[in-house]
Amino acid sequence: MSLLTITKIHAREIIDCRGWPTVQADVWIDGRLIGRADVASGRSTGSHEAHVLLDGDPSRYQGLGVLKAVDNVNNVIGPELVGWDVTEQRKIDLAMIDMDGTANKSKLGANAILGVSLAVARAAANVNGVSLYHYINPNAHVLPVPLMNCLNGGKLTANELEIQEFIFMPVGANSYAHALEMTTEINEVLRDLVVEKYGILGTNTGDEGGFATPMRGIWEPFEFMSKAVDQAGYADDIVYAMDLAANSWFNQKSDVYELDGEAYDRDALIELYKKVAEAYPIVSMEDPLHEEDFEGFATLARELDMQIVGDDLFVTNVDRLREGVQKGAANAMLFKVNQIGTLSEALDAAEFAYRNNYGVQVSERSGETEDPIISDLVVALNSGQIKTGMPIRGERTSKHNRLLQIEEELGAAGVYAGRDFARPA
């Protein structure tokens, strides 16, 4: 038996940070457990994402169980892949896509397929005695700027703030460790400001660790953030970003965006974004318009001097990204492996983005686990930016702590992306 031969694949149902079920997959090599991976899940999802297979049985987890996906790993995918070389990632991913046979992985479930895909990659790295980021890319060396989601709204919370994420970016830090230090200090100041105005209940947090305050609109959050940054003494080192998740506050019937009691057509909303960008150093906007508005994303890319990120617009899908490139829509892609369902397809999307001078922002999902795999992926891609939540809960701190380990491993060979986060050298 070859030391690279898959001898067993096994999955189980585990829970994510919200207590919802998800898939965990194990890969065994030569009779030993070598690779394991968890599948994250999203609450705010694009309609073009790969299909997450749920049981639909209301008698357990309100229908959100994933035992069908687990069964597909254990009784369909696993037996087929026994005997395969674990290092043949693309062949394995393509084989699972063929087994499924649907356009969006709805037969076997993207959660089943992705769990195996990621566990195979981790097993291959482990059996070769290297870290996953190095296995994927021996030239991996860029430590990303963390996008610290400090104020939560939208589907991530139960407040009235329509915009999903308001974000600090510590571009002036000199290392990832320094970036964590800076943003943690700023967040403590922000906490005090929130308590001062809204009381202690204002420091309740959303799915990704940001404060779920009673703030409203687009201006008030930036007022709080800029005050916190100034008081912490980091005004020269911090810039801002937003995940607007505009799908969730776009009224499709009337073709307007409903924000803080006002209705905006596309042109009016773009003008609002311009005014906010003139007032604050905003360098990145994710999903500022709804997921089918390629023309509007193209207008933003032309008229705003910043990174415009397509998440629901592109869903880590080369075909959607190709359409965006042809139309000049946005200038960066959000990278979420579970949107497409295999590691190979996600890497293909990132490569296509780079070839067309688009940035790549690696991202968590709101339903995360303690698995820090995206930390290895962001370094493997040299992408320069990662969105993984405030470091206040285990499913978020695991990603930050893994990046601290990688920074130590890389030593002098590692480079913190800093102000070049969108196009790191």
Side-chain angles (χ1 to χ4, degrees), residues 222-238:
F222 281 115
E223 292 170 6
F224 272 77
M225 292 165 67
S226 63
K227 189 174 182 180
V229 169
D230 287 343
Q231 289 187 12
Y234 290 116
D236 295 333
D237 299 315
I238 298 293

Side-chain angles (χ1 to χ4, degrees), residues 27-307:
V27 170
W28 295 63
I29 306 295
D30 194 28
R32 297 177 298 140
L33 174 58
I34 301 296
R36 170 174 289 166
D38 303 345
V39 179
S41 60
R43 189 192 299 271
S44 174
T45 58
S47 62
H48 299 283
E49 293 192 22
H51 181 74
V52 175
L53 183 63
L54 302 176
D55 297 341
D57 177 2
S59 68
R60 61 186 307 274
Y61 287 112
Q62 298 182 342
L64 300 175
V66 293
L67 294 180
K68 290 180 180 178
V70 167
D71 184 70
N72 286 337
V73 173
N74 293 338
N75 295 306
V76 180
I77 297 172
E80 182 66 28
L81 296 181
V82 167
W84 286 55
D85 185 329
V86 73
T87 64
E88 294 185 319
Q89 183 76 43
R90 182 171 292 276
K91 287 184 179 181
I92 289 171
D93 287 347
L94 289 174
M96 290 191 289
I97 292 169
D98 288 343
M99 284 182 230
D100 178 86
T102 67
N104 66 346
K105 301 177 179 66
S106 58
K107 180 181 177 181
L108 298 178
N111 43 345
I113 293 170
L114 180 63
V116 175
S117 180
L118 295 178
V120 163
R122 187 169 267 147
N126 288 340
V127 82
N128 279 282
V130 295
S131 292
L132 179 59
Y133 69 87
H134 181 81
Y135 172 74
I136 294 172
N137 178 13
N139 190 43
H141 65 283
V142 176
L143 276 301
V145 172
L147 284 87
M148 294 300 200
N149 177 5
C150 61
L151 295 172
N152 281 184
K155 292 184 178 181
L156 303 184
T157 67
N159 62 10
E160 296 182 350
L161 192 63
E162 292 95 347
I163 294 172
Q164 188 161 283
E165 299 172 13
F166 290 85
I167 296 167
F168 296 126
M169 294 183 66
V171 294
N174 55 37
S175 66
Y176 196 84
H178 188 211
L180 285 181
E181 176 187 330
M182 290 168 55
T183 49
T184 297
E185 291 175 5
I186 295 168
N187 203 51
E188 288 303 306
V189 176
L190 179 61
R191 180 190 300 273
D192 292 341
L193 294 174
V194 169
V195 171
E196 182 181 345
K197 179 165 184 179
Y198 295 110
I200 192 65
L201 294 181
T203 62
N204 287 334
T205 59
D207 282 358
E208 296 178 358
F211 298 129
T213 70
M215 294 179 193
R216 299 180 63 94
I218 193 170
W219 292 100
E220 187 180 11
F222 281 115
E223 292 170 6
F224 272 77
M225 292 165 67
S226 63
K227 189 174 182 180
V229 169
D230 287 343
Q231 289 187 12
Y234 290 116
D236 295 333
D237 299 315
I238 298 293
V239 293
Y240 303 119
M242 289 185 285
D243 174 7
L244 295 119
N247 269 354
S248 63
W249 41 283
F250 174 64
N251 187 323
Q252 193 169 6
K253 290 183 179 179
S254 55
D255 195 30
V256 295
Y257 297 87
E258 297 173 343
L259 177 64
D260 194 22
E262 300 289 336
Y264 297 84
D265 63 17
R266 182 178 70 192
D267 292 342
L269 187 61
I270 290 175
E271 288 305 309
L272 175 63
Y273 292 154
K274 289 179 180 178
K275 290 177 182 178
V276 178
E278 288 173 359
Y280 298 99
I282 301 169
V283 298
S284 183
M285 289 186 185
E286 176 189 335
D287 278 357
L289 300 168
H290 72 82
E291 66 186 4
E292 301 298 343
D293 193 0
F294 284 89
E295 181 182 343
F297 271 86
T299 300
L300 284 165
R302 288 194 307 270
E303 297 186 4
L304 283 176
D305 184 22
M306 69 171 67
Q307 178 174 259

